[in-house]
């Protein structure tokens, strides 16, 4: 009877673990799907928009204003394009490697992913205030200095700061539930492994 109840409880535990694992995998897919969508629908188009804005400024404005707008537009536009395309290309392989690691060595894979995401979140805590400072500096230039170059550069810095706050703001908000899910899955995996070792020791007795 004792063995029978152990089998029943073990089956229920395995079913519950399967449900939790499926929910965790859905969180993983949601996180990386959001990363790819943001890159494809916001970061890459934003880079193209900035480059187009820089070209329009050169073709239609006085040199001082035009180049103060065009240079940061070209630099950040190319940066956004590179980042957006890079994320879109690398994410499928990143997800595949993560899922494979979860099958072969879940504990170490989860620990490594948690460490990576902790660094990502720490970077957001630095980058978001930086973008806010860029936007604030742009406002100061735009309204405190009356020259053409200051007004052009100030205006574009406000735009760049706003884009950065939006993109990294979305990304940081998306990262928090993903990190929480990673931590919960790591705890569950560790507890399950420890329970399995305990049951094996009891059966040996």
């Amino acid at each position: 009877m004792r063995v029978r109840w152990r089998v029943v409880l073990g089956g229920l535990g395995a079913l519950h673990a399967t449900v939790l694992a499926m929910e965790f995998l859905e969180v993983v897919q949601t996180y990386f799907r959001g990363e790819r969508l943001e890159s494809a629908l916001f970061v890459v188009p934003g880079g193209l928009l900035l480059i187009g804005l820089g070209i329009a400024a050169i073709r239609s404005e006085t040199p001082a204003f035009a180049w103060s707008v065009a240079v940061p537009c070209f630099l950040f536009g190319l940066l956004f394009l590179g980042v957006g395309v890079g994320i879109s290309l690398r994410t499928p392989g990143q997800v595949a490697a993560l899922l494979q690691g979860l099958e072969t060595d879940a504990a170490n894979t989860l620990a490594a992913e948690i460490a990576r995401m902790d660094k990502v979140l720490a970077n957001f805590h630095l980058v978001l205030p930086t973008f806010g400072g860029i936007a604030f500096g742009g406002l100061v230039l735009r309204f405190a200095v009356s020259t053409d170059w200051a007004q052009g550069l100030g205006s574009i810095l406000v735009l760049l700061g706003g884009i950065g706050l939006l993109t990294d703001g979305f990304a940081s908000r998306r990262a928090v539930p993903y990190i929480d899910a990673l931590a919960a899955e790591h705890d569950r995996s560790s507890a399950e492994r420890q329970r399995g070792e305990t049951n094996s020791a009891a059966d040996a007795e």
Side-chain angles (χ1 to χ4, degrees), residues 133-146:
I134 289 173
F136 178 76
L139 287 172
V140 171
L141 276 177
R142 176 62 182 81
F143 293 105
V145 184
S146 60

Side-chain angles (χ1 to χ4, degrees), residues 11 39 64 89 109 153 158 173 175 187:
S39 298
L89 292 177
T109 299
L153 180 60
V158 172
R173 289 176 60 84
D187 292 343

Side-chain angles (χ1 to χ4, degrees), residues 4-5 19 33 39 45 47 62 69 79 82 87 98 107 110 122 138 170 190-191 196-197 201:
R4 182 181 300 173
W5 276 110
V19 172
R33 182 168 58 247
S39 298
T62 58
V69 170
L79 176 64
I87 290 175
L98 178 61
L110 288 168
F170 286 145
S190 299
E197 293 173 352

Side-chain angles (χ1 to χ4, degrees), residues 119-137:
K119 292 180 181 178
V120 170
L121 199 59
N123 286 336
F124 285 139
H125 292 156
L126 295 175
V127 171
L128 286 171
T130 299
F131 279 123
I134 289 173
F136 178 76

Side-chain angles (χ1 to χ4, degrees), residues 30-143:
T30 299
Y31 172 76
F32 285 102
R33 182 168 58 247
E35 192 171 70
R36 291 190 70 187
L37 285 174
E38 183 177 353
S39 298
L41 301 180
F42 193 84
V43 178
V44 171
L48 293 173
L49 176 64
L50 287 172
I51 292 173
L53 182 59
I55 294 172
I58 291 174
R59 293 175 62 90
S60 62
E61 284 291 342
T62 58
F65 186 93
W67 287 106
S68 67
V69 170
V71 170
C73 277
F74 291 154
L75 292 176
F76 279 87
L78 291 173
L79 176 64
F80 280 23
L81 280 176
V83 170
V85 172
I87 290 175
S88 297
L89 292 177
R90 81 170 185 231
T91 299
Q94 192 175 5
V95 174
L98 178 61
L99 295 179
Q100 183 178 4
L102 290 173
E103 291 182 2
T104 57
D105 189 357
N108 287 332
T109 299
L110 288 168
E113 184 68 0
I114 289 171
R116 184 184 75 84
M117 290 303 301
D118 283 342
K119 292 180 181 178
V120 170
L121 199 59
N123 286 336
F124 285 139
H125 292 156
L126 295 175
V127 171
L128 286 171
T130 299
F131 279 123
I134 289 173
F136 178 76
L139 287 172
V140 171
L141 276 177
R142 176 62 182 81
F143 293 105

